[in-house]
Amino acid sequence: MGANLFANYGEAVAVILFGIGFSNLLLQKNLIKKIIGLNIMDTAVYLFLAEKGYIEGRMAPIVVDGIQSVDAYINPIPSGLVLTGIVVSVSVTALMLSLTIRLYRRYHTLDLDEISTQLKKEGR
Amino acid sequence: MAFVQNFPFFSIVLSMFAGTVSSVLPQKPAKYLNTAVICIVGTMSAVLLGFTLQTGESFTYMMGHFPAPWGNEIRAGVLEAAMALFFCIIMLLSLLGGRKKLLGEVEITKHNLYYILINLLLSSLLALIYTNDLFTAYVFVEINTISACGLIMIRENGRTIEAAVRYMIMSLLGSGLLLIGICMLYDLTGHLLMSNIREAVAQIVAEGTYSMPLLVTIALISVGLAIKSALFPFHSWLPDAYGYSTVSSAAILSSLVSKGYVFLLIKIFYRVIGFSIIRESKIIDVLFLFGLAGIIFGSLSAIKENDIRRMIAFSSVAQIGYIYMGIGLGTDVGMIASVFHIIAHAATKSLLFVAAIGLTDVSGGSRKFIDLTGAAYRNKVAGVAFTVGSLSMVGVPVFAGFISKFLFANAAVYNSGKMLPALVVLSISTILNAIYFMKTVIRIYTPAKTDYPCITWKQEKLYAVTMVLFMILNIILGMGSQPIVDLIQQGLSTFA
């Protein structure tokens, strides 16, 4: 168990980071901190994928001087997944930030609970 | 390959393309384009349903003619085609019913944006239904979330933006868990196509290795999708999001968006992991428990609520609980009941939302019960429709809700361990449903002297026609349920 954990320390770090990001997104009151948590969480997943996709001593499957044997290259699919994931994460972050700006302009605070109490006061 | 087999791909791309085109169209053409696309996709799904019923099996469709481990795949069978057809019908009716309200609540310059979001939502729902690739499913889950968020906040006021933020936060937590679950599953099996993963998972289980990582993966994916579909206790965003968005959005969100995720979860259970492995993993017991808790809690919150829209929203929490309870029973009969309830609840909940808006409109826009007194006399069509929806939710025979309750009770009997809790909760929740829905029906049929205007069906023909169509749909589901149940059974047998 301990030896496995040490051999796969990259994945272990990724999962710990995922936990940090997840709990920040869930528990922080401040919207910007929540968004930072979201980004840590997503990046942890990319670290996990990159760590899984990399094989020591091999290179990216880009043909430079003739195709070499299969053993020379890493599996490109995890890298492709990371790219797709980054696109999704960027668009979601942009959407969250724009919503945060909207709320800040209206209520002059970034605290979600504070906004809820103000909404209750408005009584609508 | 028959030409019909292209239809799943056509419907996804057509609705996505329509979304892109709508961005440069003015309001009216965008509206007509959207309606046309939903009708075309519905027709294509109906033809596809006929085709799959004839062949009796599902088929895979290679995207770009790359064979299995490399290419992306679409897979369609009876159940997928039926779901696509049904989703199109509900979406069309919800949009028609809320069209007049949309004019009042959303700025006219933003209407084409609304139809972009609807088109994108349709395409992502169709992709969730048809896709045979896990990562594609994840990408479309995110598209679905973003467009649903747009649908909530397009009616701009503080409430909806706050609801949209809460919705996004919960959804992002869910998709984060789903994403890391999918990555771990890819790591374990080395595949992303569902059928290939299934073979690898069967091998892993047979060898007895990696049982703990597999369990963690199943748990992550199930919890992620459960959060996204608002299973109790992850429902905190739901009442605000359904209660304050414009009525078409509320109807579509409650009846389609959350159901898309449940459908994906059922697909993962059957096609990716294999239902027998899921049954042994005890994950479904957890889903069963939370389903039961959701039924009770959702109904109790609905009773306490003093706002008709939020009351219907809390009732959705209870109904999602029913669906997870059916999944949690862990039998094929329970799954059939769940899939039927997906259909029955979608038909009924959208009917209730659209009917409620008719009632609040003739009560000075107030959603408080005290102001709704006698509203059914002022808008007769909405009153009758709301009563039909309520009776269906309570589970009175003739209407759709009765059949799903009957199927759930029937399924519970087949599972000796879970029979007692399931039946007890079913009966308690029926009583609770009756309390808050009948309270509302009695309230709207209590005569009252007010100076609110009356609306006859001639003034709002489109609304009245939509309500009648909704009621007919509900009664069809209630009276002619046997062919639909047979169809679901056939679909599930070829689903894996």
Side-chain angles (χ1 to χ4, degrees):
Chain A
M1 181 74 194
N4 276 344
L5 204 62
F6 189 71
N8 296 317
Y9 67 95
E11 287 86 342
V13 170
V15 171
I16 292 169
L17 275 177
F18 183 88
I20 294 174
F22 187 86
S23 39
N24 266 303
L25 178 58
L26 185 64
L27 301 173
Q28 287 285 357
K29 277 182 191 165
N30 188 307
L31 279 170
I32 299 289
K33 287 184 185 166
K34 269 187 192 292
I35 296 171
I36 293 172
L38 162 72
N39 279 308
I40 295 174
M41 183 175 88
D42 281 349
T43 316
V45 178
Y46 311 145
L47 177 64
F48 182 84
L49 276 174
E51 191 65 39
K52 277 290 159 208
Y54 180 66
I55 303 171
E56 190 136 16
R58 299 193 186 180
M59 54 180 185
I62 302 169
V63 178
V64 193
D65 36 25
I67 300 170
Q68 300 172 17
S69 74
V70 183
D71 292 334
Y73 301 118
I74 60 160
N75 179 4
I77 292 179
S79 324
L81 298 186
V82 170
L83 280 181
T84 320
I86 288 176
V87 173
V88 171
S89 151
V90 163
S91 48
V92 171
T93 312
L95 182 61
M96 277 300 283
L97 284 172
S98 68
L99 282 169
T100 310
I101 294 173
R102 282 279 165 90
L103 276 180
Y104 186 74
R105 283 199 185 137
R106 228 171 240 271
Y107 298 104
H108 306 289
T109 173
L110 286 170
D111 188 333
L112 203 52
D113 294 346
E114 172 77 26
I115 292 169
S116 298
T117 39
Q118 285 199 26
L119 272 169
K120 281 207 184 92
K121 252 182 238 164
E122 277 179 26
R124 272 191 299 133
Chain B
M1 193 178 77
F3 182 69
V4 188
Q5 289 176 314
N6 289 308
F7 279 7
F9 171 69
F10 284 170
S11 15
I12 297 172
V13 167
L14 183 71
S15 40
M16 194 166 260
F17 186 68
T20 323
V21 172
S22 297
S23 58
V24 291
L25 290 179
Q27 181 240 339
K28 278 236 164 92
K31 182 172 83 181
Y32 294 135
L33 178 68
N34 174 257
T35 314
V37 164
I38 297 178
C39 292
I40 293 171
V41 171
T43 319
M44 286 202 287
S45 310
V47 175
L48 186 70
L49 180 62
F51 174 78
T52 46
L53 275 177
Q54 215 171 19
T55 59
E57 52 194 26
S58 62
F59 63 88
T60 52
Y61 176 85
M62 284 186 287
M63 305 282 288
H65 298 280
F66 291 110
W70 297 285
N72 203 334
E73 271 182 3
I74 279 176
R75 182 161 159 181
V78 176
L79 190 60
E80 287 95 329
M83 274 292 164
L85 170 64
F86 182 74
F87 279 13
C88 287
I89 295 173
I90 293 291
M91 188 173 260
L92 185 66
L93 288 179
S94 310
L95 282 172
L96 288 179
R99 196 143 272 167
K100 185 143 183 280
K101 200 68 191 159
L102 192 68
L103 282 175
E105 286 182 338
V106 177
E107 288 169 41
I108 197 89
T109 49
K110 285 192 181 161
H111 277 219
N112 63 339
L113 299 179
Y114 190 78
Y115 292 113
I116 296 175
L117 294 170
I118 295 280
N119 286 326
L120 285 181
L121 189 75
L122 179 62
S123 88
S124 59
L125 279 173
L126 290 169
L128 286 184
I129 291 174
Y130 286 128
T131 185
N132 200 23
D133 179 285
L134 263 186
F135 207 78
T136 312
Y138 165 72
V139 172
F140 278 98
V141 160
E142 289 289 17
I143 297 178
N144 205 346
T145 309
I146 293 175
S147 44
C149 175
L151 286 182
I152 298 172
M153 59 168 285
I154 194 124
R155 178 186 175 203
E156 264 202 84
N157 60 35
R159 280 279 195 187
T160 52
I161 300 176
E162 194 239 1
V165 168
R166 285 190 185 277
Y167 173 72
M168 275 310 270
I169 291 166
M170 266 306 177
S171 288
L172 290 173
L173 290 171
S175 25
L177 291 178
L178 175 66
L179 177 60
I180 193 131
I182 289 174
C183 291
M184 284 182 175
L185 199 57
Y186 174 61
D187 187 25
L188 278 175
T189 60
H191 290 286
L192 283 171
L193 282 180
M194 296 185 178
S195 346
N196 296 359
I197 296 180
R198 176 125 190 249
E199 286 163 20
V201 166
Q203 209 180 337
I204 289 174
V205 172
E207 286 171 10
T209 49
Y210 296 120
S211 60
M212 200 59 197
L214 187 66
L215 184 65
V216 171
T217 308
I218 298 172
L220 284 172
I221 292 179
S222 314
V223 173
L225 284 170
I227 292 179
K228 290 187 83 79
S229 53
L231 176 65
F232 174 84
F234 310 114
H235 65 280
S236 55
W237 53 271
L238 186 143
D240 280 357
Y242 294 180
Y244 299 101
S245 50
T246 184
V247 58
S248 304
S249 302
I252 289 172
L253 280 168
S254 64
S255 51
L256 303 184
V257 175
S258 50
K259 304 300 177 327
Y261 302 134
V262 179
F263 191 80
L264 180 64
L265 187 66
I266 294 177
K267 187 143 103 173
I268 288 176
F269 278 2
Y270 266 83
R271 199 179 286 172
V272 182
I273 313 281
F275 202 45
S276 54
I277 299 171
I278 293 286
R279 213 174 294 154
E280 283 160 25
S281 74
K282 309 283 176 212
I283 286 292
I284 54 166
D285 298 344
V286 180
L287 291 180
F288 180 75
L289 277 181
F290 281 113
L292 294 186
I295 296 173
I296 301 287
F297 181 83
S299 306
L300 286 177
S301 309
I303 290 178
K304 278 192 293 184
E305 202 49 66
N306 193 24
D307 174 324
I308 184 166
R309 286 276 295 274
R310 286 173 63 96
M311 182 195 88
I312 303 173
F314 271 118
S315 152
S316 281
V317 177
Q319 307 300 325
I320 291 285
Y322 278 113
I323 295 173
Y324 276 98
M325 181 185 83
I327 296 175
L329 285 172
T331 53
D332 285 334
V333 200
M335 199 57 94
I336 291 170
S338 281
V339 176
F340 188 85
H341 195 61
I342 291 180
I343 295 176
H345 174 238
T348 314
K349 197 43 63 79
S350 43
L351 163 70
L352 279 171
F353 270 117
V354 180
I357 207 72
L359 297 174
T360 52
D361 273 356
V362 291
S363 312
S366 164
R367 305 111 151 267
K368 299 270 177 286
F369 282 115
I370 188 84
D371 297 315
L372 285 172
T373 316
Y377 295 108
R378 301 194 287 272
N379 190 343
K380 293 206 173 64
V381 188
V384 173
F386 192 88
T387 314
V388 168
S390 302
L391 292 176
S392 168
M393 276 284 138
V394 174
V396 173
V398 177
F399 302 110
F402 168 72
I403 302 294
S404 48
K405 285 227 167 80
F406 174 74
L407 288 173
F408 277 125
N410 189 27
V413 174
Y414 282 103
N415 186 326
S416 52
K418 293 171 182 164
M419 178 174 88
L420 194 64
L423 287 180
V424 168
V425 168
L426 260 178
S427 50
I428 293 178
S429 103
T430 306
I431 297 168
L432 295 176
N433 278 351
I435 290 176
Y436 62 86
F437 273 120
M438 288 307 114
K439 178 185 83 175
T440 320
V441 169
I442 291 169
R443 170 68 74 181
I444 61 175
Y445 275 106
T446 309
K449 279 207 164 53
T450 49
D451 37 355
Y452 295 128
C454 290
I455 287 183
T456 58
W457 65 273
K458 277 181 191 152
Q459 283 166 299
E460 290 192 5
K461 285 198 183 103
L462 185 62
Y463 182 82
V465 169
T466 315
M467 293 317 324
V468 171
L469 286 176
F470 261 131
M471 285 188 268
I472 292 173
L473 178 67
N474 208 310
I475 292 172
I476 289 176
L477 284 176
M479 302 283 277
S481 59
Q482 200 50 47
I484 301 170
V485 173
D486 292 344
L487 196 146
I488 294 171
Q489 194 165 15
Q490 195 192 340
L492 277 178
S493 64
T494 57
F495 203 48

